């Protein structure tokens, strides 16, 4: 392990205009300017990958993978523990980059860092877990089922939680003996790519095992279709996920898709309204609503609807909005003006269709004020479409059955929350939403690296990241039999 991580982070000249291809090098695709969403200021520059760059990186990763998989497990585990110590020592510097590059507030940045620290320790712990099973067999034969790596795993990560969501796939893939080609989102290539690459390189990861190449959709398609890449892990929008799944399917590759969500927060008639409003605000406004698990629909019992909406609007009006790098704010900028324009279009179209605007619905520069809409019906775009903006959309219901019908009136199937004073009632309802994650007396945005995370329907292909699911995703079974003497067959 070296102690150069701090210097690399504080001196962008070391990696400016470059990507990790064994070492930090320029690429054929040119460069990408890294811009701060709050100000538009250029924070730095990274290399941009062409399809030829991706091809070379995948070939190099395939060549490096066998030696990494054969390295003694204590040596591999040490890499992750070293990286955790380095990240812990550089917490403040890393958090500043997360805040400035993603537009997130500091607590969001610290959550990302804490989550990655957890994932690093989990990756190290995977190396001491059993790697297979002894199966029943006849006398004279030992029958084994072993977990073996795929080879090279391609990871395509998004802009919203770039450090966390790159590491969520990359770390277990590496821990199980794979090499990785990481393509971070070109809007957040430093925290999604440069930072984790620097950490692992400084922690002692052998050269070539991780290739980190920022790039656009063309580079992403080259990664998905490359013959040296055996698996793709993609986190991002449903539209792009469909394309990734299509391309990977043609190549008969394993693909893990963690996509969008239109998640329902259900507030029953016996719920603690203060806690429900608190959780609902968090679920819709955390990181400006740019989270796949954000509460896209607040389904509130008619007896609580007006009070819930009034309290939520009051909270929206009180939240400070601004640049999280320079001000103590709760709401920062959206990632791009294009995204802000989309959010505003969905809100204004829904208002024209009859939704009532109680708070927000306005913007200044890249900042969209926290917004509250009531009278939302299933035909309105704020009910149907993933917004990825700070919008609370409230729909009233009259019975538990109606709440579940509304919750399931979507193509998505990621997360749900249910607030009720009756835990038994909540548990009974928890099995009815068509989602991969459900939380009784909590909101929809929950994440823990030890738990299987993923969705159904348009939210994903049933793949999962986290805990025991990492073995399912990043390895495959190999059946092995061993006999002391070869049998004689009757032919």
């Amino acid at each position: 392990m070296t102690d150069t991580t701090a210097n690399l982070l504080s001196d962008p000249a070391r990696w400016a205009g470059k990507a990790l291809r064994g070492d930090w090098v320029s690429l054929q695709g040119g460069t990408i300017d890294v811009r701060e969403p709050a100000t538009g200021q250029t924070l730095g520059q990274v290399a941009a990958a062409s399809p030829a760059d991706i091809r070379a990186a995948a070939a190099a990763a395939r060549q490096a993978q066998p030696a990494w998989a054969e390295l003694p497990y204590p040596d591999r585990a040490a890499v992750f523990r070293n990286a955790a110590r380095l990240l812990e020592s550089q917490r403040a510097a890393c958090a500043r980059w997360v805040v400035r590059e993603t537009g997130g507030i500091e607590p969001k940045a610290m959550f990302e860092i804490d989550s990655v620290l957890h994932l690093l320790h989990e990756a190290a712990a995977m190396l001491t877990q059993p790697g297979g099973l002894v199966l029943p067999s006849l006398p004279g034969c030992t029958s084994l089922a072993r977990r073996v790596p795929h080879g090279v795993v391609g990871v395509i990560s998004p802009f919203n939680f770039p450090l966390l969501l790159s590491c969520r796939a990359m770390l277990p893939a590496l821990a199980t003996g794979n090499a990785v080609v990481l393509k971070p989102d070109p809007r957040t290539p430093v925290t999604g790519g440069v930072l984790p690459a620097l950490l692992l390189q400084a922690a002692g990861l052998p050269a070539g095992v991780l290739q980190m190449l920022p790039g656009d959709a063309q580079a992403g398609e080259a990664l998905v279709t490359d013959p040296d890449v055996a698996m793709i892990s993609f986190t991002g929008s449903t539209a792009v996920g469909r394309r990734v799944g299509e391309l990977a399917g043609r190549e008969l590759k394993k693909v893990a898709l963690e996509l969008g969500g239109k998640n329902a927060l259900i507030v029953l008639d016996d719920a603690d309204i203060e806690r429900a409003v608190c959780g609902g605000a968090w679920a819709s406004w955390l990181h400006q609503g740019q989270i796949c698990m954000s509460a896209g629909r607040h389904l509130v019992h008619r007896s609580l609807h007006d009070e819930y909406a009034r309290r939520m609007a009051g909270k929206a009006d009180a939240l400070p909005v601004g640049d999280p790098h320079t001000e103590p704010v709760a709401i920062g900028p959206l990632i791009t003006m294009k995204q802000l324009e989309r959010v505003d279009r969905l809100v204004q179209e829904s208002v024209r269709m009859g939704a009532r605007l109680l708070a927000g619905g306005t913007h200044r520069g890249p900042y969209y004020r926290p917004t509250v809409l009531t009278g939302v019906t299933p035909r309105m775009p704020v009910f149907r479409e993933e917004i990825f903006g700070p919008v609370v959309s409230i729909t009233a219901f009259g019975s538990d059955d109606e709440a579940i019908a509304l919750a399931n009136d979507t193509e998505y199937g990621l997360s749900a929350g249910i607030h009720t004073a009756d835990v038994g009632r909540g548990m009974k309802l928890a099995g009815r939403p068509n989602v991969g994650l459900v939380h009784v007396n909590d909101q929809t945005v929950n994440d823990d690296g030890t738990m299987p995370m993923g969705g159904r329907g348009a939210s994903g292909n049933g793949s999962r990241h986290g805990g025991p699911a990492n073995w399912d995703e990043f390895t495959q079974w190999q059946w092995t039999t061993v006999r002391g003497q070869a049998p004689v067959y009757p032919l």
Side-chain angles (χ1 to χ4, degrees), residues 318-333:
L319 289 176
V321 179
D323 183 349
H325 179 57
T326 60
E327 306 172 68
V329 299
I331 305 292

PDB file of all heavy atoms in Angstrom, residues 318-333:
ATOM      1  N   ALA A 318     -40.056  25.770   3.817  1.00  0.00           N
ATOM      2  CA  ALA A 318     -39.035  26.112   4.806  1.00  0.00           C
ATOM      3  C   ALA A 318     -37.643  25.611   4.445  1.00  0.00           C
ATOM      4  O   ALA A 318     -36.661  26.034   5.065  1.00  0.00           O
ATOM      5  CB  ALA A 318     -39.445  25.554   6.173  1.00  0.00           C
ATOM      6  N   LEU A 319     -37.535  24.723   3.468  1.00  0.00           N
ATOM      7  CA  LEU A 319     -36.234  24.122   3.170  1.00  0.00           C
ATOM      8  C   LEU A 319     -35.351  25.084   2.384  1.00  0.00           C
ATOM      9  O   LEU A 319     -35.763  25.605   1.342  1.00  0.00           O
ATOM     10  CB  LEU A 319     -36.414  22.827   2.377  1.00  0.00           C
ATOM     11  CG  LEU A 319     -36.991  21.635   3.148  1.00  0.00           C
ATOM     12  CD1 LEU A 319     -37.200  20.456   2.209  1.00  0.00           C
ATOM     13  CD2 LEU A 319     -36.081  21.230   4.292  1.00  0.00           C
ATOM     14  N   PRO A 320     -34.108  25.307   2.830  1.00  0.00           N
ATOM     15  CA  PRO A 320     -33.195  26.188   2.084  1.00  0.00           C
ATOM     16  C   PRO A 320     -32.656  25.490   0.839  1.00  0.00           C
ATOM     17  O   PRO A 320     -32.318  24.305   0.864  1.00  0.00           O
ATOM     18  CB  PRO A 320     -32.083  26.469   3.093  1.00  0.00           C
ATOM     19  CG  PRO A 320     -32.107  25.321   4.040  1.00  0.00           C
ATOM     20  CD  PRO A 320     -33.533  24.845   4.103  1.00  0.00           C
ATOM     21  N   VAL A 321     -32.571  26.261  -0.238  1.00  0.00           N
ATOM     22  CA  VAL A 321     -32.114  25.748  -1.535  1.00  0.00           C
ATOM     23  C   VAL A 321     -30.893  26.561  -1.965  1.00  0.00           C
ATOM     24  O   VAL A 321     -30.893  27.790  -1.873  1.00  0.00           O
ATOM     25  CB  VAL A 321     -33.229  25.869  -2.595  1.00  0.00           C
ATOM     26  CG1 VAL A 321     -32.744  25.361  -3.946  1.00  0.00           C
ATOM     27  CG2 VAL A 321     -34.476  25.101  -2.149  1.00  0.00           C
ATOM     28  N   GLY A 322     -29.856  25.877  -2.454  1.00  0.00           N
ATOM     29  CA  GLY A 322     -28.683  26.608  -2.922  1.00  0.00           C
ATOM     30  C   GLY A 322     -27.509  25.696  -3.183  1.00  0.00           C
ATOM     31  O   GLY A 322     -27.660  24.465  -3.258  1.00  0.00           O
ATOM     32  N   ASP A 323     -26.338  26.293  -3.286  1.00  0.00           N
ATOM     33  CA  ASP A 323     -25.103  25.575  -3.593  1.00  0.00           C
ATOM     34  C   ASP A 323     -24.598  24.874  -2.330  1.00  0.00           C
ATOM     35  O   ASP A 323     -24.186  25.542  -1.378  1.00  0.00           O
ATOM     36  CB  ASP A 323     -24.060  26.564  -4.101  1.00  0.00           C
ATOM     37  CG  ASP A 323     -22.755  25.898  -4.522  1.00  0.00           C
ATOM     38  OD1 ASP A 323     -22.567  24.704  -4.239  1.00  0.00           O
ATOM     39  OD2 ASP A 323     -21.915  26.591  -5.128  1.00  0.00           O
ATOM     40  N   PRO A 324     -24.583  23.548  -2.286  1.00  0.00           N
ATOM     41  CA  PRO A 324     -24.175  22.849  -1.064  1.00  0.00           C
ATOM     42  C   PRO A 324     -22.692  22.976  -0.747  1.00  0.00           C
ATOM     43  O   PRO A 324     -22.268  22.668   0.365  1.00  0.00           O
ATOM     44  CB  PRO A 324     -24.553  21.394  -1.353  1.00  0.00           C
ATOM     45  CG  PRO A 324     -24.542  21.289  -2.840  1.00  0.00           C
ATOM     46  CD  PRO A 324     -24.998  22.619  -3.341  1.00  0.00           C
ATOM     47  N   HIS A 325     -21.896  23.426  -1.716  1.00  0.00           N
ATOM     48  CA  HIS A 325     -20.470  23.605  -1.461  1.00  0.00           C
ATOM     49  C   HIS A 325     -20.183  24.894  -0.689  1.00  0.00           C
ATOM     50  O   HIS A 325     -19.183  24.988   0.020  1.00  0.00           O
ATOM     51  CB  HIS A 325     -19.706  23.624  -2.785  1.00  0.00           C
ATOM     52  CG  HIS A 325     -18.231  23.825  -2.640  1.00  0.00           C
ATOM     53  ND1 HIS A 325     -17.440  22.996  -1.878  1.00  0.00           N
ATOM     54  CD2 HIS A 325     -17.401  24.775  -3.171  1.00  0.00           C
ATOM     55  CE1 HIS A 325     -16.188  23.419  -1.925  1.00  0.00           C
ATOM     56  NE2 HIS A 325     -16.136  24.502  -2.693  1.00  0.00           N
ATOM     57  N   THR A 326     -21.078  25.880  -0.822  1.00  0.00           N
ATOM     58  CA  THR A 326     -20.826  27.183  -0.205  1.00  0.00           C
ATOM     59  C   THR A 326     -21.878  27.596   0.815  1.00  0.00           C
ATOM     60  O   THR A 326     -21.679  28.569   1.541  1.00  0.00           O
ATOM     61  CB  THR A 326     -20.752  28.275  -1.288  1.00  0.00           C
ATOM     62  OG1 THR A 326     -22.003  28.318  -2.007  1.00  0.00           O
ATOM     63  CG2 THR A 326     -19.615  27.994  -2.260  1.00  0.00           C
ATOM     64  N   GLU A 327     -23.023  26.876   0.877  1.00  0.00           N
ATOM     65  CA  GLU A 327     -24.115  27.275   1.761  1.00  0.00           C
ATOM     66  C   GLU A 327     -24.634  26.072   2.543  1.00  0.00           C
ATOM     67  O   GLU A 327     -24.599  24.943   2.052  1.00  0.00           O
ATOM     68  CB  GLU A 327     -25.278  27.856   0.940  1.00  0.00           C
ATOM     69  CG  GLU A 327     -24.920  28.991   0.013  1.00  0.00           C
ATOM     70  CD  GLU A 327     -26.097  29.356  -0.880  1.00  0.00           C
ATOM     71  OE1 GLU A 327     -27.094  29.879  -0.345  1.00  0.00           O
ATOM     72  OE2 GLU A 327     -26.026  29.093  -2.094  1.00  0.00           O
ATOM     73  N   PRO A 328     -25.167  26.309   3.766  1.00  0.00           N
ATOM     74  CA  PRO A 328     -25.801  25.224   4.537  1.00  0.00           C
ATOM     75  C   PRO A 328     -27.233  25.002   4.061  1.00  0.00           C
ATOM     76  O   PRO A 328     -28.186  25.554   4.610  1.00  0.00           O
ATOM     77  CB  PRO A 328     -25.752  25.751   5.975  1.00  0.00           C
ATOM     78  CG  PRO A 328     -25.792  27.235   5.828  1.00  0.00           C
ATOM     79  CD  PRO A 328     -25.073  27.560   4.541  1.00  0.00           C
ATOM     80  N   VAL A 329     -27.405  24.214   3.009  1.00  0.00           N
ATOM     81  CA  VAL A 329     -28.709  24.042   2.370  1.00  0.00           C
ATOM     82  C   VAL A 329     -29.187  22.602   2.521  1.00  0.00           C
ATOM     83  O   VAL A 329     -28.432  21.697   2.875  1.00  0.00           O
ATOM     84  CB  VAL A 329     -28.649  24.424   0.878  1.00  0.00           C
ATOM     85  CG1 VAL A 329     -28.255  25.882   0.722  1.00  0.00           C
ATOM     86  CG2 VAL A 329     -27.688  23.516   0.112  1.00  0.00           C
ATOM     87  N   ALA A 330     -30.475  22.407   2.231  1.00  0.00           N
ATOM     88  CA  ALA A 330     -31.060  21.067   2.222  1.00  0.00           C
ATOM     89  C   ALA A 330     -31.266  20.539   0.811  1.00  0.00           C
ATOM     90  O   ALA A 330     -31.287  19.332   0.587  1.00  0.00           O
ATOM     91  CB  ALA A 330     -32.404  21.079   2.961  1.00  0.00           C
ATOM     92  N   ILE A 331     -31.433  21.461  -0.139  1.00  0.00           N
ATOM     93  CA  ILE A 331     -31.695  21.098  -1.534  1.00  0.00           C
ATOM     94  C   ILE A 331     -30.645  21.752  -2.414  1.00  0.00           C
ATOM     95  O   ILE A 331     -30.479  22.983  -2.391  1.00  0.00           O
ATOM     96  CB  ILE A 331     -33.098  21.566  -1.980  1.00  0.00           C
ATOM     97  CG1 ILE A 331     -34.184  21.023  -1.055  1.00  0.00           C
ATOM     98  CG2 ILE A 331     -33.356  21.154  -3.422  1.00  0.00           C
ATOM     99  CD1 ILE A 331     -34.387  19.532  -1.119  1.00  0.00           C
ATOM    100  N   GLY A 332     -29.933  20.955  -3.186  1.00  0.00           N
ATOM    101  CA  GLY A 332     -28.924  21.465  -4.099  1.00  0.00           C
ATOM    102  C   GLY A 332     -29.428  21.499  -5.525  1.00  0.00           C
ATOM    103  O   GLY A 332     -30.636  21.411  -5.780  1.00  0.00           O
ATOM    104  N   PRO A 333     -28.525  21.591  -6.495  1.00  0.00           N
ATOM    105  CA  PRO A 333     -28.919  21.690  -7.898  1.00  0.00           C
ATOM    106  C   PRO A 333     -29.279  20.318  -8.478  1.00  0.00           C
ATOM    107  O   PRO A 333     -28.802  19.290  -8.008  1.00  0.00           O
ATOM    108  CB  PRO A 333     -27.666  22.233  -8.569  1.00  0.00           C
ATOM    109  CG  PRO A 333     -26.551  21.643  -7.744  1.00  0.00           C
ATOM    110  CD  PRO A 333     -27.055  21.665  -6.331  1.00  0.00           C
TER     111      PRO A 333
END
